[in-house]
Amino acid sequence: MQNTVTPTHCPYCALQCGMNLTPAADGTVEVGERADFPVNRGALCGKGRTAPAVLASGARLTSPLVRSADGALVPAGWDEALDRIAGGLARARAERGADAVGVFGGGGLTNEKAYALGKFARVVLGTSQIDYNGRFCMSSAAAAGTKAFGLDRGLPFPLEDIPRTGCVILVGSNPAETMPPSLRYFTELRENGGTLIVVDPRRTRTAEQADLHLAPRPGTDLALALGMLHLVVAEGRVDERYVEERTAGWEEARAAAMAHWPEYVERITGVSVPELREAVRLFCAPEAAMVLTARGPEQQAKGTDTVGAWINLCLATGRAGRPLSGYGCLTGQGNGQGGREHGQKADQLPGYRRLTDPAARLHVAGVWGVDPDSLPGPGRSAYELLDALGTDVRALLLMGSNPVVSAPRAAHVEERIRSLDFLAVCDVVLSETAALADVVLPVTQWAEETGTTTNLEGRVLLRRRAVTPPDGVRGDLEVLHGLADRLGVEKGFPTEPEEVFEELRRASAGGPADYSGIGYRRLGEGNGVFWPCPAPGSEGPPHPGTPRLFLDRFATGDGRARFAAVAHRPSAEEPDEAYPVLLTTGRVLAQYQSGAQTRRVAELNAAAPGPFVELHPRLAARLGAAEGDPLAVVSRRGRAVAPARITTGIRPDTVFMPFHWPGEGRANTLTNPALDPTSRMPEFKVCAVRVEVAR
């Protein structure tokens, strides 16, 4: 094996940090700094540094597995495995119709895979039943951003703008643990004289860095944003000229906000009136400011309205579509942005086109060489699809997701998965979901394949193949090619990523997420290209890409941003006598998402070996609980048990559990699948529970 250095990107979060990979003579892979990549500038967290550990044969799958007559998963050849999958999907379709077959994707799939998976569902299977776990990530932010600006891109500006603004309000985000290399941007902001406001019911590692920490009751972020907007109006801080020239809907939004006076908001949120006033002062004092949200306000049954209220704050103060200002969302999954732009989402076609738009259907069908009328309409959202398994949806093809651990009301979802007539899973490891499958296919991962991802800034990046996958492992594109061929579609599913990307460019051309001006050669020569990037005319120079959106106009019909007239409402499930405590969930530094990969890395397990219940000393005293005692957390959906971790860094009315583990400590056994009416995001971030010492 040659000692060749390959510049590529981390497989985990949406920063998509740059790194160098060097294969060693003993078969291991060394990770080195890639200081030239501007997002992380060489810095890597523990997950990135240890990512090659999952490449080792002992940690991952290296042979297809099929369910034997006695119920065990046993090794099989690729032809047998693909034949079984094609047969299972075809049988369900023949017996119950095309929508009896479902497809569930992942926000970690490359753009090429996401595109091919969406095409496979609609062209080969003819099913509308496709969605992906990115619905659990930032769908509320996407819905609110689209309503307000006419276009959704996680950040409408590059990360490098953050240290140069005057104030950042960080709502429901803990980048110190979820994307550590990004913390330097907020540190540099403060070093440059700017201020950081963190909104979080827990005093996280990020909150400890803040100039002001607001700790609202979970589920009340909407009221908090409305209370701040009320004060902006009452204190005469509205940018009237900007509102007049660049927005619409202000009077209705203003009237809604004025119903949320500070004392009322204090009663709802627990954030004091002086703290509210200080937050407004800090945000409005500098010339430029930003609001950045993450899963905290978004993973609620009112997440779209909540994000809309924070966008209102930006619009009323003239902090959107101007240099060093704006609203942005800190995307979670590695390709959460690109994953929904190109066809995995139930209601979208490639290029962020709407599946219900006749012109969009005509364009994409033309690229695919099919009749537009043959394309199915929108299907179920992620949780609704999982809930329909075993009833309306009888067979499922799943790629790059582990809903047995990651879905809300997870015990119910596991039951629905077990009730399927047929389940096929493509994964790197034998996840908890894969262990339930009829067929499991071992597929390549990040360092073993070339492909593109789109990070949280909208920066399209090229991941390069650095090592050869083990024998017995194939790429997802090869899987889709083999299945399409067996199901009667011999063409249209190439196995080479660049060929797929070239088709993606054509399919996205002219759409909101236009990649047509981006190619592999260009990506290989630089540090990514920001979409939209349309193809140039026959004589024109290449389009430079669009690092900063909305500086001239918003992507609405009239170029104006739209205010959202929203009002506070309770969470889907409020505490009561039987369930008097609030549960919120999240991540920890050393694990990632459902933990399917990171739980196989010894160094990460040593740092974060298992679940826990974080609670305030006052709640612990009422329960008679000591540090490390097993606590049972019980909701209307189930029971989870984990050791107590007592800290003053959480509200006394709230407990926190990380969601990376299966089994007895599975946090998502408890969570509420109540859905946002617009984004269909489940309410992961707040539900009513009771807590007791597990004797």
Side-chain angles (χ1 to χ4, degrees):
M1 182 177 292
Q2 293 182 338
N3 194 33
T4 303
V5 177
T6 302
T8 190
H9 297 273
C10 179
Y12 291 116
C13 82
L15 286 179
Q16 287 298 279
C17 290
M19 58 170 59
N20 288 323
L21 296 183
T22 306
D26 61 0
T28 60
V29 180
E30 297 177 359
V31 174
E33 291 188 0
R34 185 180 164 191
D36 67 303
F37 187 62
V39 171
N40 62 309
R41 290 175 271 172
L44 292 169
C45 73
K47 294 185 290 291
R49 285 189 297 98
T50 60
V54 188
L55 296 170
S57 59
R60 50 97 59 85
L61 296 167
T62 56
S63 171
L65 303 173
V66 298
R67 189 73 59 183
S68 67
D70 63 2
L73 281 173
V74 297
W78 270 93
D79 284 339
E80 179 187 353
L82 290 171
D83 287 345
R84 283 210 191 187
I85 296 174
L89 301 179
R91 188 162 49 251
R93 186 174 60 177
E95 292 174 355
R96 295 175 176 263
D99 279 357
V101 181
V103 176
F104 199 89
L109 301 181
T110 62
N111 290 318
E112 293 81 358
K113 294 178 183 181
Y115 172 84
L117 188 61
K119 180 181 178 182
F120 178 84
R122 295 178 174 110
V123 172
V124 178
L125 299 176
T127 182
S128 67
Q129 301 303 300
I130 174 172
D131 211 76
Y132 81 127
N133 63 15
R135 180 78 70 166
F136 300 157
C137 177
M138 57 176 288
S139 58
S140 292
T146 300
K147 283 185 174 183
F149 307 129
L151 180 68
D152 156 52
R153 195 180 81 187
L155 293 181
F157 41 73
L159 285 162
E160 66 186 40
D161 285 0
I162 291 174
R164 300 161 56 208
T165 193
C167 177
V168 172
I169 302 179
L170 194 58
V171 189
S173 178
N174 182 18
E177 296 196 64
T178 59
M179 45 180 64
S182 72
L183 191 64
R184 66 168 58 184
Y185 291 102
F186 303 102
T187 302
E188 291 170 6
L189 164 73
R190 299 185 69 214
E191 291 172 349
N192 292 340
T195 54
L196 175 63
I197 301 170
V198 171
V199 179
D200 199 305
R202 303 169 61 223
R203 189 163 182 81
T204 62
R205 298 185 190 187
T206 305
E208 290 174 353
Q209 308 299 313
D211 297 281
L212 177 64
H213 173 214
L214 307 179
R217 183 174 176 266
T220 64
D221 307 90
L222 175 54
L224 181 67
L226 289 165
M228 290 182 65
L229 183 55
H230 177 110
L231 287 171
V232 165
V233 175
E235 296 175 0
R237 299 180 185 272
V238 176
D239 188 332
E240 301 284 359
R241 182 175 177 181
Y242 173 93
V243 168
E244 174 67 24
E245 293 179 351
R246 299 203 61 188
T247 72
W250 167 234
E251 290 305 319
E252 295 82 358
R254 178 186 182 278
M258 296 315 289
H260 297 75
W261 60 95
E263 292 77 12
Y264 173 57
V265 169
E266 180 181 78
R267 289 199 301 272
I268 294 170
T269 66
V271 176
S272 70
V273 173
E275 288 177 311
L276 280 172
R277 293 188 183 278
E278 178 66 1
V280 170
R281 185 190 71 80
L282 291 173
F283 183 69
C284 293
E287 183 177 346
M290 299 173 180
V291 173
L292 305 177
T293 67
R295 307 302 80 75
E298 298 162 18
Q299 287 182 327
Q300 299 183 31
K302 53 189 171 186
T304 302
D305 286 355
T306 301
V307 173
W310 288 106
I311 292 174
N312 285 352
L313 185 65
C314 293
L315 295 177
T317 54
R319 309 302 179 86
R322 284 179 167 173
L324 306 181
S325 286
Y327 163 76
C329 166
L330 298 177
T331 310
Q333 295 189 81
N335 197 32
Q337 182 70 50
R340 70 180 179 283
E341 291 168 6
H342 300 299
Q344 284 190 101
K345 196 161 171 278
D347 57 355
Q348 287 181 183
L349 288 170
Y352 244 151
R353 288 182 159 91
R354 289 182 293 112
L355 190 52
T356 54
D357 178 0
R361 295 169 67 89
L362 181 65
H363 174 85
V364 174
V367 175
W368 289 349
V370 300
D371 183 342
D373 292 337
S374 71
L375 298 178
R380 293 175 172 89
S381 70
Y383 179 77
E384 292 167 303
L385 174 56
L386 295 171
D387 189 42
L389 299 181
T391 54
D392 295 338
V393 179
R394 307 297 304 186
L396 183 70
L397 173 63
L398 186 146
M399 281 188 170
S401 186
N402 188 18
V404 165
V405 178
S406 64
R409 198 185 173 195
H412 171 74
V413 169
E414 180 177 347
E415 178 185 289
R416 299 321 310 148
I417 289 173
R418 289 180 181 274
S419 73
L420 282 164
D421 294 339
F422 183 81
L423 172 65
V425 174
C426 302
D427 210 330
V428 174
V429 297
L430 190 66
S431 71
E432 287 71 23
T433 305
L436 304 180
D438 296 282
V439 181
V440 184
L441 298 181
V443 291
T444 53
Q445 52 178 307
W446 61 291
E448 300 164 348
E449 59 188 11
T450 294
T452 63
T453 60
T454 306
N455 82 342
L456 76 172
E457 307 165 294
R459 187 193 300 256
V460 184
L461 303 164
L462 182 64
R463 280 192 195 161
R464 298 169 175 87
R465 174 170 166 158
V467 297
T468 302
D471 291 339
V473 174
R474 296 184 184 179
D476 292 284
L477 296 179
E478 294 177 87
V479 170
L480 294 175
H481 174 86
L483 291 176
D485 185 58
R486 284 166 171 79
L487 291 167
V489 180
E490 298 177 359
K491 296 182 179 180
F493 290 88
T495 60
E496 287 300 318
E498 186 169 7
E499 188 175 347
V500 178
F501 191 78
E502 288 301 304
E503 184 179 304
L504 182 158
R505 292 174 65 186
R506 298 195 302 275
S508 73
D514 191 336
Y515 283 31
S516 60
I518 306 172
Y520 270 36
R521 176 179 293 182
R522 183 174 181 184
L523 293 176
E525 293 172 349
N527 284 316
V529 179
F530 293 84
W531 71 260
C533 182
S538 57
E539 301 297 330
H543 190 284
T546 314
R548 296 170 181 86
L549 297 171
F550 313 137
L551 295 181
D552 298 319
R553 67 190 309 276
F554 295 99
T556 56
D558 59 7
R560 291 173 174 266
R562 302 291 193 268
F563 279 95
V566 296
H568 169 72
R569 60 183 185 272
S571 297
E573 187 176 79
E574 292 287 340
D576 57 19
E577 186 175 347
Y579 301 94
V581 177
L582 290 168
L583 168 70
T584 192
T585 64
R587 286 169 47 188
V588 298
L589 176 62
Q591 300 289 353
Y592 181 72
Q593 303 299 76
S594 75
Q597 294 189 40
T598 51
R599 284 187 276 111
R600 286 166 168 78
V601 179
E603 180 180 328
L604 301 179
N605 281 334
F612 57 86
V613 180
E614 186 178 280
L615 73 165
H616 192 276
R618 278 160 47 190
L619 177 56
R622 288 204 301 272
L623 298 172
E627 180 77 14
D629 279 353
L631 294 183
V633 183
V634 184
S635 79
R636 290 176 174 85
R637 289 153 297 280
R639 180 177 188 266
V641 178
R645 183 175 293 184
I646 301 171
T647 173
T648 58
I650 191 169
R651 292 175 55 95
D653 58 2
T654 301
V655 294
F656 166 83
M657 290 186 72
F659 59 78
H660 309 290
W661 289 274
E664 187 179 50
R666 181 174 60 184
N668 277 320
T669 296
L670 309 168
T671 49
N672 191 351
L675 300 179
D676 181 288
T678 302
S679 68
R680 316 309 287 170
M681 168 73 85
E683 190 154 78
F684 287 99
K685 279 295 182 279
V686 53
C687 70
V689 298
R690 69 174 181 267
V691 185
E692 52 205 22
V693 177
R695 301 300 182 187

